[in-house]
Amino acid sequence: WTQRLADFRAATAAQKPTPGWGGAAGITADIGLALVVKGLRISEAHASDPARLELMQAAEALLGRPGAFANDDMQAFGDYLSATRDGQPGYKQAAARQACAVPLALAHCCIQALDLAVTAWPCVAANVQSDVQAGAVLIHAGLSAALINVDADMASLNETSTREQAGVARQRLQSEGDGLLRRLVGSGR
């Protein structure tokens, strides 16, 4: 993702198919993860802790990955639209599967980021716990938006078993994400 925020916002609001909610979901989750990284970095700068340092390194390694799915989602959806327009049934189904796979992969990445946020929250300084908590809420919003994308894209899948697999994965990821967010919000009270 290399666009300026204002340009991305304008492109998202434009009367074009992409970027859409998949791109917005990835960017939202990445900003949330950045807040988690911020809380870890500030805390680590004040007093080093080996466990927190390990968490910080894991979060830094993940940073940027949710946002990268924004481009992947735009590509996958663009390919699906092209296949639909060109009337190629085999290519259309492959593109439909990819259009579901990308937001599912983003959702899985969001689960990793949420898990890091939940683990990081008690390890960061009290003055930045709100950054971690707000970051987790944004990551969860990205997860939920990505899964709405899956809901919309599943209708394009012709094979019942493929549609069912996507639906099961979608439900599992939403449930896991909801549980992680509840754990963090519950511990923050």
Side-chain angles (χ1 to χ4, degrees), residues 12 58-59 80 99 108 115 138 144 169 172 179:
T12 302
Y80 175 76
H108 180 73
D115 190 46
L138 289 173
S144 296
R172 179 185 56 77

Side-chain angles (χ1 to χ4, degrees), residues 9-164:
R9 183 182 59 235
T12 302
Q15 294 178 348
K16 295 187 214 171
T18 61
W21 67 72
I27 300 307
T28 299
D30 219 14
I31 297 296
L33 181 55
L35 285 170
V36 174
V37 169
K38 177 183 191 159
L40 288 163
R41 285 178 177 168
I42 289 171
S43 299
E44 192 60 22
H46 290 300
S48 187
D49 174 82
R52 184 176 48 227
L53 179 61
E54 187 176 327
L55 276 172
M56 184 177 76
Q57 290 168 340
E60 288 172 339
L62 191 59
L63 190 60
R65 217 160 89 205
F69 284 107
N71 291 329
D72 295 343
D73 185 76
M74 288 187 285
Q75 181 68 50
F77 191 63
D79 290 349
Y80 175 76
L81 292 176
S82 293
T84 300
R85 203 173 25 252
D86 297 343
Q88 301 173 4
Y91 182 61
K92 181 180 174 184
Q93 275 309 290
R97 284 190 297 277
Q98 187 64 13
C100 273
V102 170
L104 284 171
L106 168 57
H108 180 73
C109 184
C110 289
I111 293 296
Q112 291 175 293
L114 270 172
D115 190 46
L116 283 167
V118 169
T119 306
W121 190 84
C123 300
V124 298
N127 64 325
V128 291
Q129 283 181 324
S130 58
D131 290 284
V132 173
Q133 192 171 18
V137 169
L138 289 173
I139 294 165
H140 186 270
L143 165 78
S144 296
L147 295 174
I148 290 169
N149 195 349
V150 173
D151 290 338
D153 293 340
M154 280 191 306
S156 302
L157 298 171
N158 287 344
E159 297 173 9
T160 303
S161 63
T162 304
R163 202 170 36 253
E164 288 173 355

